[in-house]
């Protein structure tokens, strides 16, 4: 049985297109186009990237375009991000200039709410 690679997994380059769902136990860095759902430990999306599908991760940092729902423990939306979909989160940071078309809802938890708006 082959050993499983446990390091960070990256998808680099704006010319990469993946059609299908992605599930990873490690971190993903996406600069290309994904047409499918993503489930991973942490996701970093580049400015030129487009994701058409739902995202589920502990940590999500978005700066590109997303057409789908997002669920994250910690969600950071940078000023270049364009999102069409509903957001569910424990902690949320939104930079001034980003665009979100969807519902925002904090996930049920016993912890204090965390929302940060960055200008």
């Amino acid at each position: 049985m082959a050993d499983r690679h446990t390091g960070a997994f990256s998808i680099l380059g704006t010319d990469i297109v993946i059609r299908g769902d992605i599930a990873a136990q490690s971190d993903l860095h996406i600069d290309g186009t994904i047409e499918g759902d993503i489930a991973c430990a942490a996701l970093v999306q580049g400015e030129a990237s487009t994701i058409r599908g739902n995202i589920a991760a502990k940590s999500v940092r978005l700066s590109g375009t997303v057409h789908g729902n997002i669920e994250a423990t910690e969600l950071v939306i940078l000023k270049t991000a364009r999102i069409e979909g509903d957001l569910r989160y424990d902690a949320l940071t939104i930079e001034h200039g980003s665009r979100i078309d969807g519902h925002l809802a904090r996930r049920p938890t016993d912890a204090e709410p965390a929302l940060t708006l960055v200008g």
Side-chain angles (χ1 to χ4, degrees), residues 26-75:
S26 57
D27 303 344
L28 297 176
H29 180 111
I30 297 174
D31 288 323
T33 298
I34 307 297
E35 296 178 1
D37 296 341
I38 299 173
C40 60
L43 174 68
V44 176
Q45 181 196 34
E47 286 183 30
S49 174
T50 299
I51 298 170
R52 291 181 188 91
N54 297 325
I55 298 171
K58 184 174 181 180
S59 172
V60 176
R61 184 176 178 93
L62 303 172
S63 57
T65 302
V66 177
H67 302 279
N69 299 325
I70 302 164
E71 184 159 347
T73 302
E74 181 180 334
L75 178 57

Side-chain angles (χ1 to χ4, degrees), residues 50-100:
T50 299
I51 298 170
R52 291 181 188 91
N54 297 325
I55 298 171
K58 184 174 181 180
S59 172
V60 176
R61 184 176 178 93
L62 303 172
S63 57
T65 302
V66 177
H67 302 279
N69 299 325
I70 302 164
E71 184 159 347
T73 302
E74 181 180 334
L75 178 57
V76 177
I77 302 171
L78 301 175
K79 65 182 175 183
T80 57
R82 303 293 178 253
I83 300 169
E84 294 180 7
D86 296 340
L87 311 178
R88 289 179 38 91
Y89 54 86
D90 292 351
L92 176 63
T93 301
I94 303 173
E95 281 189 350
H96 177 73
S98 62
R99 190 188 78 201
I100 302 167

